[in-house]
Amino acid sequence: MALRSSPFPNGCVAGAHAVGWAFILPCFWCLDRLISVCKSTTLEQTQRMEQECYLHPLKVFFGFIIFFILFLVMTPFALLGFLIWAPIQACRRPFRYHREKTFPLEKEEIYTERAGVTSFGFATANLCLLPDSLARFNNLGHTQYRAATIGERILQGVCRPHVRILIDSPSSCGTLSPSNSILPTSNSNYGTTDRQTQPAVGYRSDSTEGHVSFQNSNSHVVCLPSDDTEEPLAKSPSPTFNSNQSSNQQGETAKHTSPQTLLSQGVCQQDIPWEISPMFPANVDILCLEEVFDKRAAQKLKQVLKPVFGHILYDVGVYACQPPCLCSSFKFFNSGLFLASRFPVLEAQYQCFPNSRGEDALAAKGLLSVKVLIKQNRNHKKMVGYFNCTHLHAPEGEGEIRCEQLDMVTDWIGNFQAVNQQPNEDVAFDVLCGDFNFDNCSPDDTLEQNHILFQQYKDPCRAGPGEEKPWVIGTLLEQPTLYEDAINTPENLQRALESEELRKQFICPPVPARDSPLAYPNTGQPWIGRRIDYILYRENSISEHYRTEIEEMTFITQLAGLTDHIPVGLRLNVIMDSKSVDE
C-alpha cells in the first residue's frame, strides 16, 4: 500500500490545521525577526566593517521597536490559532510524503557497472536550518536563502556523470572516482567575495523563477591501461590525504597522469578508497539531512530536490504535547530529519526519543526508518533496502542519554524490519546514518564509543573504540571561523582539510573527560578532530545471496559557508551470486 501524501486522515482535519497555523505564523515570524535584527553573524559584522557602515545601531533600535509592536499585535491571533492547532497534532502522522507523479530519472535498471554488481550511493549532512534567529546563535543566518542554495549545490553534485576509472594493471586495487576533474564550481557566492563560478554540467537553475532543469546523469567507465615506463610506485611520494585536486590543476595535468601516478597519490594505499571532494558524489540514491527544523526551508529543499529525488519525507516528527496531555514534554520543533530518495518508499516509521533534556527536549528528535523498493524481477521477487536516519542528544557530558537513545535505535530498527519483511523480498542494504553528536576520539564520549550498535553496524572510518583510521576527517567545524577565507569556498575548505595544521584551526577538537586534561593526538597519530556525522551499514541483515563492499567514502566540502558540518557520503557495491543474477 502506497503512502499517502498528507499527514492528516482527511481534508477537514488538514484544513483546520492550515487555518490554525495561518494564525500562528505571523506572530512567529515577527518574533523570529525581532531576535534576528539584534544578532549578527561574523560575516555580517565583517561586511559592515569593510563598508564602514555606521547605521547598524539605528537599524537594530528601530527594527526592534517595529517587530516588537507587530509581535504584540499578532499575539492574540496566535493564541487563537494555537487552540486550533495543538489538539490536531494528536491525529497527525509524524511525516509528510511527497512523490513525483512524473519521474523520468527514477532508476528502472540499477546495474550500472557489470552483471551481478549493484552500486548504491548514500549521503548525509547536518544543515542547521533552524529559524533564522536561532541559526544565528550558530553563526549561520538567512535560513531561507541557505536552504535554496544548499538544494542547488546538492543537485550540482548528484546530477553529474558518475565516472569510474578502472586501472588495467596487476597492481590495481579498485577504482578511482575523480569527482572534481570534470566538475564545475558551485554557483553561489554566499560568504565569499569577487568569486566567478561556472554552471554545473547538465544542470541549470533559475533562482528568480524557481525552476530547475537538468539532464539525465549516467555512469561512465574509463579504462586506463598500465604504463610500464613510469617510475615504480615505491619511488613516488605519497601525500597524507587522498583528495581531488582543483579542477584547474586536473585540467592541466590529467593528460600527463598515468595510473601509477594516480596510485601513488594514496588512492589505494588505505583499507578503503576515500576522498575529500568539493562536490556531492554523483548519483546519490538516498540523501539524509538533519536539522531541517524550519518548515519553509523544508519546502524550499523539497521543491529544488524533487526533480531528482522523486520520493521525499519531510516535516518529520511530532508537535505539541507528546504523549498527549503531558505538558512537561511540549515539542516546539519537529525532528529536523529530511529524507530524499530516488527509490519508492514502501514503508516508513518514525519514533520519538522520550528521554531528551534541556533545550533538546524542545525538538522531537528520534529515528526515521524506511523501506524502499529498488526493483522487481521477472519472478515478481522484489529487491528492497532499509535506510534509517537519526539525530541524537546534543549537549556534551550527557553520554548516558545518548547511550539510551542508541539502545532505542537498535530496538526500533529491529522491530521495524521484523514487522515489514516479506518472504518474496531480497534485502540489498541496511544503512544507518545521521548526526550522532559524539565522536570516536573524545575521552568524554567513551560510553558511546563502546556501544553494542557498533558490533551490529560497520563504521568504515572506525578502527576500534576510541580510535579512528588515520585518513579520517573530522566533520564538525568551529562556528566562529565559518567565513574565514581559508574555508569559505568548497575548494578552499578542501585544501584546508588536507593540511593537519589548518584542520586544527577549523575542526572542533575532541572533548576531554571531566576534570581531566586532553592529551590528543597519541604519539605518531594524525590530528583528526570531532567526527560526529556517521554512515554505517550492516551485512548480517541483507539477503544471503548478497555481499557488500565499500566502493568509496567521501568527505564533502560543497556546503562551505552554508553549514557548520562537513557532509559525508558512502557508495556501497552489492555483489550478487550467480543465482540472483539469473533471476
Side-chain angles (χ1 to χ4, degrees):
M1 180 179 176
L3 295 176
R4 69 177 188 271
S5 299
S6 174
F8 300 102
N10 55 64
C12 292
V13 177
H17 177 271
V19 171
W21 183 246
F23 279 104
I24 295 174
L25 183 59
C27 180
F28 178 82
W29 182 85
C30 291
L31 179 61
D32 184 48
R33 300 317 306 162
L34 174 66
I35 300 174
S36 297
V37 76
C38 301
K39 181 68 175 176
S40 299
T41 65
T42 56
L43 175 63
E44 293 168 339
Q45 294 171 3
T46 302
Q47 290 174 341
R48 287 198 300 269
M49 292 178 61
E50 293 176 349
Q51 298 169 3
E52 297 183 357
C53 179
Y54 305 107
L55 300 179
H56 181 67
L58 294 177
K59 177 183 176 181
V60 172
F61 177 76
F62 288 108
F64 180 88
I65 293 176
I66 292 172
F67 287 120
F68 183 71
I69 293 173
L70 290 176
F71 171 73
L72 294 178
V73 172
M74 298 296 178
T75 298
F77 298 97
L79 293 175
L80 176 62
F82 180 81
L83 295 177
I84 302 173
W85 174 85
I88 294 176
Q89 304 310 310
C91 61
R92 175 186 177 273
R93 185 189 63 187
F95 56 83
R96 293 178 180 270
Y97 176 54
H98 173 82
R99 178 180 181 179
E100 281 291 275
K101 296 180 180 179
T102 303
F103 191 53
L105 293 186
E106 191 165 323
K107 286 193 171 182
E108 297 178 356
E109 179 56 66
I110 59 177
Y111 296 96
T112 58
E113 304 297 338
R114 57 190 183 275
V117 179
T118 306
S119 178
F120 298 101
F122 310 98
T124 182
N126 184 314
L127 304 183
C128 196
L129 290 177
L130 290 152
D132 191 55
S133 56
L134 299 181
R136 289 173 177 272
F137 288 93
N138 291 341
N139 200 23
L140 291 162
H142 309 287
T143 294
Q144 306 308 316
Y145 173 79
R146 283 195 298 119
T149 304
I150 287 171
E152 292 176 1
R153 289 197 183 185
I154 291 174
L155 285 195
Q156 287 177 351
V158 302
C159 290
R160 59 190 170 86
H162 179 210
V163 177
R164 304 181 69 205
I165 300 177
L166 303 181
I167 302 175
D168 185 15
S169 169
S171 61
S172 173
C173 58
T175 62
L176 308 179
S177 297
S179 56
N180 200 34
S181 59
I182 59 170
L183 301 181
T185 55
S186 54
N187 64 349
S188 170
N189 58 353
Y190 181 81
T192 64
T193 56
D194 298 329
R195 180 165 185 81
Q196 298 297 324
T197 58
Q198 300 295 329
V201 175
Y203 174 85
R204 177 173 57 85
S205 68
D206 187 347
S207 57
T208 59
E209 297 180 0
H211 299 299
V212 176
S213 61
F214 54 89
Q215 299 172 0
N216 194 353
S217 60
N218 299 308
S219 294
H220 301 277
V221 178
V222 179
C223 296
L224 297 180
S226 176
D227 184 357
D228 295 331
T229 62
E230 291 291 327
E231 293 183 359
L233 180 61
K235 296 182 179 180
S236 300
S238 176
T240 304
F241 291 92
N242 161 36
S243 64
N244 295 317
Q245 303 300 315
S246 66
S247 56
N248 290 335
Q249 290 173 329
Q250 288 206 5
E252 295 172 359
T253 63
K255 61 183 179 180
H256 302 296
T257 305
S258 70
Q260 279 82 356
T261 305
L262 289 172
L263 288 173
S264 72
Q265 294 175 353
V267 176
C268 298
Q269 295 178 5
Q270 307 293 345
D271 56 338
I272 62 173
W274 66 279
E275 67 172 337
I276 305 171
S277 172
M279 300 288 279
F280 269 80
N283 295 343
V284 169
D285 296 304
I286 303 181
L287 175 69
C288 172
L289 306 174
E290 299 89 47
E291 290 198 11
V292 187
F293 290 113
D294 189 273
K295 288 186 175 183
R296 290 186 297 153
Q299 287 283 353
K300 288 181 182 293
L301 274 176
K302 184 201 73 173
Q303 289 298 118
V304 176
L305 295 179
K306 68 181 183 180
V308 174
F309 298 97
H311 307 272
I312 297 177
L313 296 176
Y314 64 105
D315 196 11
V316 178
V318 294
Y319 294 95
C321 298
Q322 298 296 331
C325 302
L326 185 62
C327 296
S328 61
S329 60
F330 193 93
K331 304 298 182 184
F332 287 92
F333 300 103
N334 59 30
S335 69
L337 298 175
F338 183 105
L339 186 143
S341 171
R342 294 180 189 257
F343 302 121
V345 177
L346 298 176
E347 303 289 344
Q349 176 181 281
Y350 163 80
Q351 298 280 1
C352 181
F353 295 133
N355 65 337
S356 298
R357 294 182 192 169
E359 66 274 15
D360 256 33
L362 301 177
K365 289 184 176 181
L367 172 74
L368 176 64
S369 300
V370 300
K371 175 183 176 181
V372 298
L373 174 64
I374 301 170
K375 68 171 295 184
Q376 186 168 346
N377 61 23
R378 295 186 298 270
N379 298 328
H380 302 286
K381 194 167 188 178
K382 297 178 181 177
M383 178 187 287
V384 300
Y386 289 104
F387 190 86
N388 311 277
C389 50
T390 188
H391 189 187
L392 301 184
H393 191 67
E396 298 175 0
E398 299 185 2
E400 296 86 355
I401 294 179
R402 281 186 287 272
C403 282
E404 292 175 2
Q405 293 178 347
L406 289 175
D407 291 338
M408 298 176 201
V409 165
T410 55
D411 291 341
W412 290 338
I413 291 176
N415 294 337
F416 176 76
Q417 295 183 5
V419 169
N420 293 289
Q421 65 181 1
Q422 300 294 331
N424 64 332
E425 295 175 343
D426 282 331
V427 179
F429 58 79
D430 180 0
V431 172
L432 169 64
C433 71
D435 181 353
F436 288 9
N437 274 313
F438 67 86
D439 58 66
N440 196 36
C441 61
S442 291
D444 191 57
D445 294 333
T446 302
L447 281 176
E448 302 95 305
Q449 294 162 6
N450 289 275
H451 194 273
I452 193 175
L453 174 77
F454 294 102
Q455 299 177 20
Q456 301 179 16
Y457 281 88
K458 292 186 177 181
D459 182 358
C461 302
R462 173 184 167 106
E467 181 183 359
E468 299 279 48
K469 294 179 180 178
W471 48 266
V472 171
I473 302 294
T475 62
L476 184 61
L477 295 169
E478 292 276 16
Q479 293 174 352
T481 63
L482 290 178
Y483 305 110
E484 292 196 10
D485 291 340
I487 62 168
N488 64 357
T489 68
E491 294 78 14
N492 288 354
L493 180 56
Q494 177 192 14
R495 285 190 288 269
L497 295 181
E498 296 168 3
S499 167
E500 183 169 328
E501 291 303 316
L502 290 178
R503 287 200 307 276
K504 293 178 181 179
Q505 297 179 35
F506 301 114
I507 300 292
C508 289
V511 181
R514 187 173 302 175
D515 300 326
S516 299
L518 178 64
Y520 179 83
N522 294 329
T523 305
Q525 296 296 316
W527 197 98
I528 293 174
R530 302 199 69 194
R531 178 181 64 93
I532 66 174
D533 300 275
Y534 292 75
I535 300 184
L536 315 178
Y537 68 100
R538 182 161 60 176
E539 293 184 311
N540 59 12
S541 58
I542 66 175
S543 172
E544 60 182 5
H545 304 296
Y546 300 161
R547 62 183 178 88
T548 58
E549 66 177 19
I550 298 176
E551 180 178 321
E552 187 176 52
M553 186 78 192
T554 310
F555 298 92
I556 305 159
T557 64
Q558 194 172 6
L559 302 185
L562 296 171
T563 181
D564 56 350
H565 287 244
I566 296 173
V568 294
L570 175 68
R571 181 161 290 277
L572 280 179
N573 286 335
V574 176
I575 303 171
M576 311 170 197
D577 60 22
S578 57
K579 179 181 177 181
S580 299
V581 174
D582 294 338
E583 292 179 351

